[in-house]
Amino acid sequence: MKRYIYIIIAILTVCGSACRKISIPPPNIIQDKDVFTSSPGIQAYMARLYSELPIEDFRYSPARGLNFFWIISPTPATTGEALSRDQTSSMQENFGGWNWDIWHGSYTVIHDCDYFIETLPKYASNFNKDQINQWLGEAYFVRGMTYFALVKRFGGVPIVNKTLDYTVGGSTEPLKIPRSSEKAVWDQVASDFDFAIANLPDVNMDYKDGSRANKYVAAAFKSRAMLYAGTIAKYNSITLFDGSQNQLCGIPASAAAGYFQQAVDAAKTLEGVYSLYLKGWSSTDKAAQYQNFVNLFSDATSSETVFVREYNYPNSVHGYDAYNVPRQLIGPNGYSSEVNPTLNFVEMFDGIPKNANGTIQNLDAGGHYQLFNNTMDMFANAEPRLRASVILPGDLFKGESIEIRRAIYTGPSAGGISPLLPAGSKSQYPTGNLVQGADAGQQAFTLPNGSKMNPAGASGIFTGDQTCAISGFSVRKWLDPNLPTSQVLENNETQTWIEMRYAEVLLNRAEAEYELGTSNSANINDAFTIINQIRSRAGAIPLASSSAMTIDTIRKERRKELAFENKTYWDLRRWRIFDKEQNGTIYRVLMPFYSSTAGKYFFDARTDERNDVYTYDPKWYYEQIPGGAISKSPNLIQNPGY
Amino acid sequence: MKKRLYYLAFGLAAIVASSCSKLDNYPAPSNTITGETIDAGTGNTVQTEIGSRGTRVKLLETSYSSNPTPYYFQSMQDGTFNNTKIFAATYNASVEGPFVPLVQTDSTGKVTSDQSQNITIKGTNTTTHLTFKVEPFLRIDWVGQPVFNADSTVTVKFKISRGTTNPAYQSLITDVNLYVSNTKYDGDNNYDIRYSPFNSFSTAHQTDSLLTNTLTLTTKPGALPQQDVYFRIGARINAGLDEYNYSTPVSVKYP
């Protein structure tokens, strides 16, 4: 009997204790306590936030959105900075078609920031106060950046500054948050950046190289955002209200001055901390000015670099060189020559012979083509910044002369060569006196002196395919001159993207000062000083006086300085001049020819031979809210015209 | 064996047939909305552009929800519209295009005037006719017929006038374009770039003489091709989404 009792007790002991620990958190899912109790945990969280930071970097194009590797419809080919064989018209951004859905993606990032902001204080005892402040500052910085990315596209969007919890079976109504006014969202951006500025240290304690935010990074982006808001208030003419009189699109013009002032103030906080990169610069040596501007984009110790996105093989890579090297330096997996700067862009720069109306002077007084021994003779005095941004026909890159030639002209040259087509003609070149090359496998032509020359240059321009310098130019900025051709591959490159550099902060400040200023005021003089700092670093001719300066002077300087950095697209939008510039527009190109009888080169300036017409629809200033978002939350009001 | 195949076939047929039983048994929309957008000043329809930058009709199905997602359909080029697939319901209807909006708000978003129409559609196979009287930003009228020049270019004459006296829509003209096309569907989204002259006027060079004088435009240098050619003038001011007002398309016989 006693034995039974022992057995029963034993069984109860075993069963009772065995059934205890059923309700444990699933060990294969990472818990808050795993993340928020150690610095590596926080670093992992930050890595995700920063990787989703919506910036238009090497992996952005309007056609395919953010964080996508394939950049064959590059941003500069939508702004008039360049032509590309794969981009033939104006376009608005295409959301979610390929990878990153900017609407839902951004709200995921905002949720991740909100969650971090709500959760970190609960684990504060694991860290010191400086760490807590920095990390909270970074979360606010990322959230501010994300609202900025939304508001510059859509106008007013829902503001969600806390995590939303849905209990299964509950009402979804509280989740359907309506759009706030556009002004409220810009103010949200400002307040997130202000929190970040107040809480971030001067130097990020985890990463000092500009890949994570410090207080000056937040201030620099605040200057960009407030300048954006100020220009919208001043220049936007599209309005949309909801039923409660919230202005979803547009900002009252009276708010402009306040935003411009915030932009100036934020930009000034960087003064003395960062500076224009002048390491190899010399006031008298154009070659040094050129090399200095080239190095600015690759020198990791540059004093101008404010905020960067770094890449790392094989985890996070891009293919900028593969898509953009000149045709003759094409990498093993193809592409090349996607960004071909337009003549419209090149003509903005100093040091080129120009007609009175600002167009390039390629004809002599008698109306014949000017003749040159080398194609670079035309650009002998070109502004160094132009050479550092654009490969001009015949300029050196990777130790090679980049050969860009449209065709060999075999017609008579005695007494001068008359233009091949009447001015303004959009026709094809008459082929009677031209020897052209269809593609890179062309047949050499025998010149009168017996030597051989290919009809088209090694980097184009070909008549049969467009993997060449279709505008007569090729992009230079960002290209790595030290990358061996065998390594010019997609998904293989790791140059750092500089998202914010001090030159932009200065240009933000100059533009905001000019917008605030009245003639000869301190604002205008400050803007004048800044523009001349930028110009002298670039090797351009300084402006003579502040009275000669207009808003267009400042905008043009910005477009030259920040070209091919995916900034002009947003500038043209916020200035609301995209539709004026792209209004049945065909961009201009410069075609170098070789005259076989004269033994010299000449240039023909004309409109894009493909006759691609750019017309920007003003409704695109406010992008279409994705239909899926409205289906889920019918309180969202669509932007006008969609 | 054969019997078994029959059973199998029968079984399969039963499964296939039953799987299709969930038909959408809601009757297809059969009602029609037709109508036109009329220039309140002249009684003519308001010319527009085909596609997304032209006039469109906006329907709000107010019997479904107080906050419905708008349903849009495009007007035809001549300002008339026709949609034969409308469900029976109560709608708030209006048009949007290059004219003074039917629903106007002041600078704070307060609705100051609302000329949208509430319509109720009942039954099936009905037709509802809607007429919207609007004030176009600009009116463009031909002066005479296009004339072929000796070099086979074409010169056209026309007048532009304002269609509204509303002070909010009196900004200066920004563009006056002559569109040349080989179809009558001529407009800012369909023209031949080789022949169509465009004229943009920046703020500094704007002048009201565009509104008082008879204007003359000639196709770009170069003989027009020997085929049907249609001409149309488009002009716009900076208002709303900057859509164009158009003249009627005209064609002339190649001499």
Side-chain angles (χ1 to χ4, degrees), chain A residues 237-238 241-242 245-247 426 579-580 583-584 586 611 613 615-619 630 634-635 639-642, chain B residues 52-53 56 67 69 72 105-110 174-175 177 188 191 193-194 198 200 220 236 238 240-242 244:
Chain A
S237 63
I238 300 172
F241 290 91
D242 68 6
Q245 292 176 242
N246 289 312
Q247 191 172 1
K426 297 185 171 51
D579 66 305
K580 302 280 183 286
N583 183 9
I586 305 177
N611 278 332
V613 181
T615 301
Y616 193 92
D617 188 338
K619 78 179 173 207
I630 296 180
N635 290 335
N639 278 329
Y642 294 104
Chain B
S52 66
R53 299 217 59 212
R56 62 178 183 174
N67 179 27
T69 303
Y72 295 100
T105 53
D106 65 10
S107 64
T108 64
K110 207 169 80 193
T174 60
D175 296 86
N177 301 334
D188 198 50
Y191 59 89
I193 48 153
R194 291 172 295 175
F198 282 25
S200 292
K220 284 189 188 172
R236 62 175 170 177
N238 188 230
L241 296 172
D242 296 355
Y244 280 91

Short mmCIF file of all heavy atoms in Angstrom, two decimals, chain A residues 237-238 241-242 245-247 426 579-580 583-584 586 611 613 615-619 630 634-635 639-642, chain B residues 52-53 56 67 69 72 105-110 174-175 177 188 191 193-194 198 200 220 236 238 240-242 244:
data_model
loop_
_atom_site.label_atom_id
_atom_site.label_comp_id
_atom_site.label_asym_id
_atom_site.label_seq_id
_atom_site.Cartn_x
_atom_site.Cartn_y
_atom_site.Cartn_z
N SER A 237 1.56 76.91 -56.34
CA SER A 237 0.24 77.46 -56.64
C SER A 237 -0.86 76.40 -56.65
O SER A 237 -1.99 76.67 -57.01
CB SER A 237 0.27 78.20 -57.98
OG SER A 237 0.56 77.28 -59.01
N ILE A 238 -0.52 75.17 -56.27
CA ILE A 238 -1.53 74.10 -56.22
C ILE A 238 -2.04 74.00 -54.78
O ILE A 238 -1.25 73.89 -53.85
CB ILE A 238 -0.93 72.75 -56.65
CG1 ILE A 238 -0.42 72.84 -58.08
CG2 ILE A 238 -1.95 71.63 -56.52
CD1 ILE A 238 0.36 71.63 -58.53
N PHE A 241 -7.64 71.42 -49.92
CA PHE A 241 -8.09 71.48 -48.54
C PHE A 241 -8.94 70.24 -48.26
O PHE A 241 -9.59 69.70 -49.16
CB PHE A 241 -8.97 72.71 -48.30
CG PHE A 241 -8.22 74.01 -48.34
CD1 PHE A 241 -8.08 74.71 -49.52
CD2 PHE A 241 -7.65 74.52 -47.18
CE1 PHE A 241 -7.38 75.92 -49.55
CE2 PHE A 241 -6.95 75.73 -47.21
CZ PHE A 241 -6.82 76.42 -48.40
N ASP A 242 -8.94 69.81 -47.00
CA ASP A 242 -9.91 68.78 -46.63
C ASP A 242 -11.17 69.46 -46.09
O ASP A 242 -11.26 70.70 -46.06
CB ASP A 242 -9.31 67.77 -45.64
CG ASP A 242 -9.03 68.38 -44.28
OD1 ASP A 242 -9.41 69.54 -44.05
OD2 ASP A 242 -8.43 67.68 -43.43
N GLN A 245 -10.91 72.27 -43.46
CA GLN A 245 -10.08 73.42 -43.82
C GLN A 245 -8.60 73.25 -43.48
O GLN A 245 -7.89 74.22 -43.29
CB GLN A 245 -10.62 74.71 -43.19
CG GLN A 245 -11.96 75.10 -43.80
CD GLN A 245 -12.56 76.31 -43.12
OE1 GLN A 245 -13.63 76.24 -42.55
NE2 GLN A 245 -11.88 77.45 -43.20
N ASN A 246 -8.12 72.00 -43.40
CA ASN A 246 -6.67 71.78 -43.34
C ASN A 246 -6.12 71.88 -44.74
O ASN A 246 -6.65 71.25 -45.66
CB ASN A 246 -6.36 70.39 -42.79
CG ASN A 246 -6.67 70.27 -41.32
OD1 ASN A 246 -6.30 71.13 -40.53
ND2 ASN A 246 -7.39 69.22 -40.97
N GLN A 247 -5.04 72.64 -44.94
CA GLN A 247 -4.48 72.78 -46.28
C GLN A 247 -3.49 71.63 -46.52
O GLN A 247 -2.34 71.67 -46.07
CB GLN A 247 -3.80 74.14 -46.45
CG GLN A 247 -3.44 74.38 -47.90
CD GLN A 247 -2.95 75.79 -48.16
OE1 GLN A 247 -2.84 76.61 -47.25
NE2 GLN A 247 -2.63 76.07 -49.41
N LYS A 426 15.46 70.02 -86.57
CA LYS A 426 15.36 68.78 -85.80
C LYS A 426 15.51 67.56 -86.70
O LYS A 426 15.22 66.44 -86.32
CB LYS A 426 14.02 68.74 -85.06
CG LYS A 426 13.96 69.88 -84.06
CD LYS A 426 12.75 69.86 -83.20
CE LYS A 426 12.87 70.88 -82.08
NZ LYS A 426 13.26 72.24 -82.56
N ASP A 579 8.05 72.56 -64.78
CA ASP A 579 7.13 72.60 -65.92
C ASP A 579 7.46 73.74 -66.87
O ASP A 579 7.02 73.74 -68.01
CB ASP A 579 5.68 72.71 -65.44
CG ASP A 579 5.41 74.02 -64.73
OD1 ASP A 579 6.12 74.34 -63.77
OD2 ASP A 579 4.48 74.73 -65.14
N LYS A 580 8.22 74.73 -66.39
CA LYS A 580 8.65 75.80 -67.29
C LYS A 580 9.85 75.33 -68.12
O LYS A 580 9.94 75.61 -69.31
CB LYS A 580 9.03 77.05 -66.50
CG LYS A 580 7.92 77.58 -65.61
CD LYS A 580 6.92 78.40 -66.42
CE LYS A 580 5.84 78.99 -65.52
NZ LYS A 580 4.86 77.95 -65.08
N ASN A 583 8.88 72.03 -71.11
CA ASN A 583 7.61 72.47 -71.67
C ASN A 583 7.73 72.26 -73.18
O ASN A 583 8.09 73.16 -73.92
CB ASN A 583 7.39 73.94 -71.29
CG ASN A 583 6.06 74.47 -71.77
OD1 ASN A 583 5.21 73.72 -72.24
ND2 ASN A 583 5.87 75.77 -71.66
N GLY A 584 7.55 71.01 -73.60
CA GLY A 584 7.81 70.67 -75.00
C GLY A 584 9.29 70.79 -75.34
O GLY A 584 9.64 71.13 -76.46
N ILE A 586 13.21 69.92 -76.06
CA ILE A 586 14.18 68.94 -76.54
C ILE A 586 15.55 69.48 -76.15
O ILE A 586 15.90 70.62 -76.49
CB ILE A 586 14.09 68.76 -78.06
CG1 ILE A 586 12.67 68.39 -78.46
CG2 ILE A 586 15.08 67.69 -78.53
CD1 ILE A 586 12.48 68.27 -79.96
N ASN A 611 15.17 63.39 -80.81
CA ASN A 611 13.96 64.20 -80.70
C ASN A 611 13.08 63.77 -79.52
O ASN A 611 11.86 63.71 -79.63
CB ASN A 611 13.15 64.16 -82.00
CG ASN A 611 13.70 65.14 -83.02
OD1 ASN A 611 14.28 66.16 -82.66
ND2 ASN A 611 13.53 64.83 -84.29
N VAL A 613 11.09 64.46 -76.40
CA VAL A 613 10.45 65.68 -75.89
C VAL A 613 10.16 65.53 -74.40
O VAL A 613 9.61 64.51 -73.97
CB VAL A 613 9.14 65.95 -76.65
CG1 VAL A 613 8.48 67.23 -76.13
CG2 VAL A 613 9.40 66.07 -78.14
N THR A 615 8.09 67.06 -71.28
CA THR A 615 7.00 67.92 -70.82
C THR A 615 6.63 67.49 -69.42
O THR A 615 6.19 66.35 -69.20
CB THR A 615 5.78 67.82 -71.75
OG1 THR A 615 6.17 68.21 -73.07
CG2 THR A 615 4.67 68.74 -71.28
N TYR A 616 6.85 68.38 -68.46
CA TYR A 616 6.57 68.06 -67.06
C TYR A 616 5.17 68.51 -66.71
O TYR A 616 4.81 69.66 -66.91
CB TYR A 616 7.60 68.75 -66.16
CG TYR A 616 7.60 68.26 -64.74
CD1 TYR A 616 8.44 67.23 -64.34
CD2 TYR A 616 6.77 68.83 -63.78
CE1 TYR A 616 8.45 66.78 -63.03
CE2 TYR A 616 6.77 68.37 -62.47
CZ TYR A 616 7.61 67.34 -62.10
OH TYR A 616 7.62 66.88 -60.80
N ASP A 617 4.38 67.61 -66.20
CA ASP A 617 3.00 67.91 -65.84
C ASP A 617 2.97 68.55 -64.44
O ASP A 617 3.44 67.93 -63.48
CB ASP A 617 2.21 66.59 -65.83
CG ASP A 617 0.72 66.81 -65.65
OD1 ASP A 617 0.34 67.88 -65.14
OD2 ASP A 617 -0.05 65.91 -66.02
N PRO A 618 2.45 69.78 -64.31
CA PRO A 618 2.49 70.46 -62.99
C PRO A 618 1.83 69.67 -61.87
O PRO A 618 2.17 69.87 -60.70
CB PRO A 618 1.75 71.77 -63.24
CG PRO A 618 1.82 71.99 -64.71
CD PRO A 618 1.85 70.63 -65.34
N LYS A 619 0.92 68.77 -62.19
CA LYS A 619 0.29 68.04 -61.09
C LYS A 619 1.29 67.11 -60.39
O LYS A 619 1.06 66.70 -59.25
CB LYS A 619 -0.94 67.27 -61.57
CG LYS A 619 -0.66 66.00 -62.31
CD LYS A 619 -1.98 65.33 -62.70
CE LYS A 619 -1.74 64.13 -63.58
NZ LYS A 619 -2.86 63.83 -64.46
N ILE A 630 -5.01 54.33 -49.95
CA ILE A 630 -6.35 54.91 -49.81
C ILE A 630 -7.39 53.80 -49.57
O ILE A 630 -8.32 53.97 -48.80
CB ILE A 630 -6.69 55.75 -51.04
CG1 ILE A 630 -5.73 56.94 -51.13
CG2 ILE A 630 -8.14 56.25 -50.99
CD1 ILE A 630 -5.95 57.85 -52.30
N PRO A 634 -9.60 55.00 -46.13
CA PRO A 634 -10.34 55.89 -47.03
C PRO A 634 -10.36 57.35 -46.57
O PRO A 634 -10.79 58.21 -47.32
CB PRO A 634 -11.77 55.32 -47.01
CG PRO A 634 -11.64 53.95 -46.46
CD PRO A 634 -10.45 53.96 -45.55
N ASN A 635 -9.87 57.61 -45.36
CA ASN A 635 -9.80 59.01 -44.93
C ASN A 635 -8.72 59.80 -45.67
O ASN A 635 -8.67 61.01 -45.57
CB ASN A 635 -9.50 59.08 -43.43
CG ASN A 635 -10.67 58.60 -42.61
OD1 ASN A 635 -11.81 58.65 -43.07
ND2 ASN A 635 -10.41 58.12 -41.40
N ASN A 639 -4.32 63.54 -53.97
CA ASN A 639 -3.83 64.84 -54.43
C ASN A 639 -4.54 65.27 -55.71
O ASN A 639 -5.08 64.43 -56.43
CB ASN A 639 -2.32 64.77 -54.62
CG ASN A 639 -1.58 64.95 -53.32
OD1 ASN A 639 -2.06 65.65 -52.42
ND2 ASN A 639 -0.42 64.33 -53.19
N PRO A 640 -4.51 66.57 -56.05
CA PRO A 640 -5.30 67.06 -57.19
C PRO A 640 -4.83 66.47 -58.53
O PRO A 640 -3.64 66.32 -58.76
CB PRO A 640 -5.04 68.57 -57.18
CG PRO A 640 -4.54 68.88 -55.82
CD PRO A 640 -3.86 67.66 -55.32
N GLY A 641 -5.81 66.12 -59.34
CA GLY A 641 -5.51 65.71 -60.72
C GLY A 641 -5.33 64.23 -60.93
O GLY A 641 -5.17 63.79 -62.07
N TYR A 642 -5.31 63.43 -59.84
CA TYR A 642 -5.10 61.99 -60.02
C TYR A 642 -6.42 61.22 -59.97
O TYR A 642 -7.34 61.65 -59.33
CB TYR A 642 -4.15 61.45 -58.95
CG TYR A 642 -2.77 62.01 -59.07
CD1 TYR A 642 -2.32 62.99 -58.21
CD2 TYR A 642 -1.91 61.58 -60.09
CE1 TYR A 642 -1.05 63.53 -58.34
CE2 TYR A 642 -0.63 62.11 -60.22
CZ TYR A 642 -0.22 63.08 -59.34
OH TYR A 642 1.03 63.61 -59.48
N SER B 52 -5.24 62.39 -69.65
CA SER B 52 -5.34 62.77 -68.24
C SER B 52 -5.21 64.27 -68.00
O SER B 52 -5.43 64.72 -66.89
CB SER B 52 -4.27 62.03 -67.44
OG SER B 52 -2.99 62.49 -67.84
N ARG B 53 -4.83 65.06 -69.02
CA ARG B 53 -4.71 66.49 -68.76
C ARG B 53 -5.89 67.26 -69.34
O ARG B 53 -5.79 68.45 -69.62
CB ARG B 53 -3.40 67.02 -69.35
CG ARG B 53 -2.17 66.35 -68.74
CD ARG B 53 -1.05 67.31 -68.56
NE ARG B 53 -1.42 68.42 -67.69
CZ ARG B 53 -0.93 69.64 -67.82
NH1 ARG B 53 -0.09 69.92 -68.77
NH2 ARG B 53 -1.31 70.58 -66.99
N ARG B 56 -12.44 66.21 -66.90
CA ARG B 56 -12.95 64.93 -66.44
C ARG B 56 -14.16 65.16 -65.53
O ARG B 56 -14.29 66.20 -64.90
CB ARG B 56 -11.88 64.12 -65.71
CG ARG B 56 -11.34 64.79 -64.47
CD ARG B 56 -10.30 63.90 -63.79
NE ARG B 56 -9.82 64.50 -62.55
CZ ARG B 56 -9.00 63.90 -61.71
NH1 ARG B 56 -8.57 62.67 -61.96
NH2 ARG B 56 -8.61 64.49 -60.61
N ASN B 67 -18.19 59.83 -47.20
CA ASN B 67 -16.82 60.19 -47.56
C ASN B 67 -16.34 59.23 -48.65
O ASN B 67 -15.40 58.47 -48.46
CB ASN B 67 -15.93 60.09 -46.31
CG ASN B 67 -14.50 60.42 -46.61
OD1 ASN B 67 -14.21 61.18 -47.53
ND2 ASN B 67 -13.59 59.84 -45.85
N THR B 69 -14.73 57.50 -52.04
CA THR B 69 -13.59 57.71 -52.92
C THR B 69 -14.13 58.17 -54.27
O THR B 69 -15.03 57.55 -54.81
CB THR B 69 -12.81 56.38 -53.09
OG1 THR B 69 -12.43 55.94 -51.80
CG2 THR B 69 -11.57 56.58 -53.94
N TYR B 72 -13.78 58.96 -61.33
CA TYR B 72 -13.59 59.92 -62.41
C TYR B 72 -13.75 59.25 -63.75
O TYR B 72 -13.39 58.09 -63.92
CB TYR B 72 -12.17 60.50 -62.37
CG TYR B 72 -11.85 61.32 -61.15
CD1 TYR B 72 -11.13 60.78 -60.09
CD2 TYR B 72 -12.22 62.66 -61.08
CE1 TYR B 72 -10.82 61.55 -58.98
CE2 TYR B 72 -11.91 63.43 -59.97
CZ TYR B 72 -11.21 62.87 -58.92
OH TYR B 72 -10.89 63.63 -57.82
N THR B 105 -13.02 77.43 -53.15
CA THR B 105 -12.73 77.67 -51.74
C THR B 105 -11.93 78.97 -51.62
O THR B 105 -11.26 79.36 -52.56
CB THR B 105 -11.90 76.52 -51.13
OG1 THR B 105 -10.75 76.33 -51.95
CG2 THR B 105 -12.70 75.25 -51.08
N ASP B 106 -12.00 79.59 -50.46
CA ASP B 106 -11.15 80.77 -50.25
C ASP B 106 -9.79 80.31 -49.74
O ASP B 106 -9.52 79.11 -49.69
CB ASP B 106 -11.85 81.77 -49.31
CG ASP B 106 -12.03 81.19 -47.91
OD1 ASP B 106 -11.44 80.12 -47.62
OD2 ASP B 106 -12.76 81.79 -47.11
N SER B 107 -8.94 81.25 -49.36
CA SER B 107 -7.57 80.89 -49.00
C SER B 107 -7.50 80.09 -47.70
O SER B 107 -6.45 79.54 -47.38
CB SER B 107 -6.72 82.15 -48.87
OG SER B 107 -7.23 82.93 -47.80
N THR B 108 -8.57 80.01 -46.96
CA THR B 108 -8.54 79.19 -45.75
C THR B 108 -9.25 77.86 -45.96
O THR B 108 -9.37 77.07 -45.03
CB THR B 108 -9.22 79.92 -44.57
OG1 THR B 108 -10.61 80.08 -44.90
CG2 THR B 108 -8.60 81.27 -44.32
N GLY B 109 -9.69 77.60 -47.17
CA GLY B 109 -10.30 76.31 -47.44
C GLY B 109 -11.80 76.29 -47.25
O GLY B 109 -12.43 75.24 -47.37
N LYS B 110 -12.39 77.44 -46.96
CA LYS B 110 -13.84 77.48 -46.79
C LYS B 110 -14.51 77.49 -48.16
O LYS B 110 -14.09 78.22 -49.06
CB LYS B 110 -14.23 78.73 -46.00
CG LYS B 110 -15.53 78.55 -45.22
CD LYS B 110 -15.75 79.70 -44.24
CE LYS B 110 -16.31 80.89 -44.98
NZ LYS B 110 -16.30 82.13 -44.24
N THR B 174 0.79 82.28 -70.13
CA THR B 174 2.16 81.78 -70.08
C THR B 174 2.58 81.06 -71.36
O THR B 174 3.75 81.03 -71.68
CB THR B 174 2.36 80.80 -68.91
OG1 THR B 174 1.45 79.70 -69.08
CG2 THR B 174 2.07 81.48 -67.58
N ASP B 175 1.64 80.48 -72.07
CA ASP B 175 2.00 79.72 -73.27
C ASP B 175 0.93 79.89 -74.33
O ASP B 175 -0.27 79.86 -74.03
CB ASP B 175 2.10 78.22 -72.97
CG ASP B 175 3.19 77.88 -71.99
OD1 ASP B 175 2.93 77.94 -70.77
OD2 ASP B 175 4.31 77.57 -72.44
N ASN B 177 0.54 78.02 -78.05
CA ASN B 177 1.16 77.05 -78.94
C ASN B 177 0.25 76.71 -80.11
O ASN B 177 -0.97 76.66 -79.96
CB ASN B 177 1.46 75.75 -78.19
CG ASN B 177 2.38 75.97 -77.00
OD1 ASN B 177 3.16 76.92 -76.99
ND2 ASN B 177 2.27 75.10 -76.01
N ASP B 188 -1.49 69.17 -76.50
CA ASP B 188 -0.16 69.23 -75.91
C ASP B 188 0.45 67.84 -75.74
O ASP B 188 1.64 67.71 -75.53
CB ASP B 188 -0.25 69.93 -74.54
CG ASP B 188 1.11 70.41 -74.07
OD1 ASP B 188 1.80 71.07 -74.87
OD2 ASP B 188 1.49 70.11 -72.92
N TYR B 191 1.34 65.98 -80.96
CA TYR B 191 1.64 66.97 -81.99
C TYR B 191 2.95 66.59 -82.65
O TYR B 191 3.73 65.79 -82.12
CB TYR B 191 1.73 68.38 -81.39
CG TYR B 191 2.78 68.53 -80.32
CD1 TYR B 191 4.08 68.89 -80.65
CD2 TYR B 191 2.48 68.31 -78.98
CE1 TYR B 191 5.05 69.02 -79.68
CE2 TYR B 191 3.45 68.44 -78.01
CZ TYR B 191 4.73 68.80 -78.36
OH TYR B 191 5.69 68.90 -77.40
N ILE B 193 6.53 67.59 -83.47
CA ILE B 193 7.51 68.59 -82.99
C ILE B 193 8.20 69.30 -84.14
O ILE B 193 8.74 70.38 -83.96
CB ILE B 193 8.59 67.93 -82.11
CG1 ILE B 193 9.14 66.69 -82.80
CG2 ILE B 193 8.08 67.64 -80.74
CD1 ILE B 193 10.53 66.38 -82.40
N ARG B 194 8.20 68.71 -85.33
CA ARG B 194 8.95 69.34 -86.43
C ARG B 194 8.26 70.61 -86.91
O ARG B 194 8.90 71.49 -87.48
CB ARG B 194 9.08 68.37 -87.60
CG ARG B 194 9.99 67.20 -87.30
CD ARG B 194 9.92 66.18 -88.40
NE ARG B 194 8.59 65.56 -88.50
CZ ARG B 194 8.24 64.70 -89.46
NH1 ARG B 194 9.11 64.37 -90.40
NH2 ARG B 194 7.04 64.18 -89.48
N PHE B 198 6.03 76.72 -80.48
CA PHE B 198 5.63 76.97 -79.09
C PHE B 198 6.11 78.35 -78.68
O PHE B 198 7.20 78.76 -79.04
CB PHE B 198 6.29 75.93 -78.16
CG PHE B 198 5.62 74.59 -78.17
CD1 PHE B 198 4.88 74.16 -79.26
CD2 PHE B 198 5.75 73.74 -77.09
CE1 PHE B 198 4.27 72.91 -79.26
CE2 PHE B 198 5.15 72.49 -77.08
CZ PHE B 198 4.40 72.08 -78.16
N SER B 200 6.49 80.52 -75.14
CA SER B 200 6.32 80.68 -73.71
C SER B 200 6.61 82.12 -73.34
O SER B 200 7.48 82.74 -73.94
CB SER B 200 7.27 79.76 -72.95
OG SER B 200 6.88 78.43 -73.17
N LYS B 220 6.63 75.83 -88.14
CA LYS B 220 8.07 75.96 -88.20
C LYS B 220 8.57 75.78 -89.62
O LYS B 220 7.92 75.11 -90.43
CB LYS B 220 8.70 74.91 -87.29
CG LYS B 220 8.60 75.26 -85.83
CD LYS B 220 9.44 74.29 -85.04
CE LYS B 220 9.23 74.47 -83.56
NZ LYS B 220 9.90 73.39 -82.82
N ARG B 236 -2.60 78.82 -72.18
CA ARG B 236 -2.91 78.59 -70.76
C ARG B 236 -2.42 79.76 -69.90
O ARG B 236 -1.53 80.51 -70.30
CB ARG B 236 -2.28 77.28 -70.27
CG ARG B 236 -0.77 77.24 -70.34
CD ARG B 236 -0.29 75.94 -69.71
NE ARG B 236 1.14 75.71 -69.96
CZ ARG B 236 1.81 74.68 -69.48
NH1 ARG B 236 1.21 73.76 -68.76
NH2 ARG B 236 3.09 74.54 -69.74
N ASN B 238 -1.48 80.51 -65.57
CA ASN B 238 -1.04 79.77 -64.39
C ASN B 238 -2.21 79.69 -63.41
O ASN B 238 -2.48 80.62 -62.65
CB ASN B 238 0.15 80.49 -63.76
CG ASN B 238 0.78 79.68 -62.64
OD1 ASN B 238 1.00 80.18 -61.56
ND2 ASN B 238 1.03 78.41 -62.91
N GLY B 240 -4.72 76.53 -61.26
CA GLY B 240 -5.02 75.11 -61.03
C GLY B 240 -3.83 74.25 -61.42
O GLY B 240 -2.71 74.48 -60.99
N LEU B 241 -4.07 73.28 -62.29
CA LEU B 241 -3.01 72.39 -62.73
C LEU B 241 -2.45 72.82 -64.08
O LEU B 241 -1.87 72.02 -64.81
CB LEU B 241 -3.53 70.95 -62.80
CG LEU B 241 -3.95 70.37 -61.44
CD1 LEU B 241 -4.64 69.03 -61.62
CD2 LEU B 241 -2.74 70.22 -60.53
N ASP B 242 -2.63 74.08 -64.44
CA ASP B 242 -2.04 74.66 -65.65
C ASP B 242 -2.44 73.88 -66.90
O ASP B 242 -1.62 73.65 -67.79
CB ASP B 242 -0.51 74.70 -65.56
CG ASP B 242 -0.02 75.61 -64.45
OD1 ASP B 242 -0.87 76.26 -63.83
OD2 ASP B 242 1.19 75.65 -64.21
N TYR B 244 -4.37 73.31 -70.51
CA TYR B 244 -4.55 74.19 -71.67
C TYR B 244 -6.02 74.35 -72.02
O TYR B 244 -6.81 73.41 -71.95
CB TYR B 244 -3.84 73.61 -72.89
CG TYR B 244 -2.35 73.87 -72.92
CD1 TYR B 244 -1.46 72.97 -72.37
CD2 TYR B 244 -1.84 75.01 -73.52
CE1 TYR B 244 -0.09 73.19 -72.39
CE2 TYR B 244 -0.47 75.25 -73.56
CZ TYR B 244 0.40 74.33 -72.99
OH TYR B 244 1.75 74.57 -73.03
#
